[in-house]
Amino acid sequence: MKFQGTADYIATDDLSIAVNAAVTLERPLLVKGEPGTGKTELARQVSLSLDLPMIEWNIKSTTRAQQGLYEYDAVSRLRDSQLGEERVHDVKNYIRKGKLWKAFEADQKVVLLIDEIDKADIEFPNDLLQELDKMEFFVYETGETIKARHRPVVIITSNNEKELPDAFLRRCFFHYIRFPELETLRQIVEVHFPGIKEALLTTALTQFYDIREQAGLKKKPSTSEVLDWLKLLLAEDLSAEDLKKSGTNALPKLHGALLKNEQDVHLFERLAFLARGGR
């Protein structure tokens, strides 16, 4: 089982090495990077590449670690007991299996994505230490221990919004997805827009990297945003010459796909104003 990217996902050598190292070590792969650099998509492509089913657990600010194991619906059981329901005698009828339980009981190895773990409470990673390490957990209501039939490939993503506990980090193989260099980004674009005109691509990517490197930018546009921008440029049938007309420091054509807050828009408006001599 070796991951080397797919036809739809350009994986750098260091990313492929990280995925395969985590699989070999049987440790969770913790992936960090700027939003929009393909962290979530990585798990989907690993699933496709290794021909493994995928289970996805999307974390929110209200998500609790227990929800990944199971939830016991005591309220429903109480209501059914008052109504004299026969099902009330089997507590398993009120156990709702979480994503980890489903991954552990799967008939084959699966890819388990725990997406954006840093959105949850700071204690969330610590609450999953033992379960991810030993690949088992205890169900108190039924007295059974759930063990993984096949150790899943666990991929955990983080946008670096919170520091993760050291004890959790020790149990992971870590990889930071750096923003792609020009040649890699060209390959990514070619996957999504095969046959795009060279002049348009060169001009667009030059402007894109100029925007990313602009001092004072609050949010740098990401890979997903440049793909959205190129899609719009192609839909509008704009040429390289059309892009050049905007000038180096002016707002780029269809800039709403790249600049996502008013501070950054005002920055480029100011640069355009200064480029015109402040008149």
Side-chain angles (χ1 to χ4, degrees), residues 49-60:
S49 175
L50 303 183
D51 194 23
L52 299 176
M54 179 171 154
I55 294 176
E56 188 169 346
W57 186 15
N58 297 300
I59 307 304
K60 301 178 181 179

Side-chain angles (χ1 to χ4, degrees), residues 232-247:
L232 290 173
L233 297 181
L234 292 171
E236 294 294 325
D237 197 24
L238 296 178
S239 66
E241 289 69 28
D242 293 325
L243 292 185
K244 291 175 181 177
K245 288 176 184 177
S246 62

Side-chain angles (χ1 to χ4, degrees), residues 193 196-197 200 227-243 245 252-257:
F193 308 108
I196 187 172
K197 292 180 180 178
L200 174 62
L227 293 175
D228 286 345
W229 185 48
L230 287 167
K231 183 176 181 179
L232 290 173
L233 297 181
L234 292 171
E236 294 294 325
D237 197 24
L238 296 178
S239 66
E241 289 69 28
D242 293 325
L243 292 185
K245 288 176 184 177
K253 298 281 187 181
L254 300 166
H255 63 270

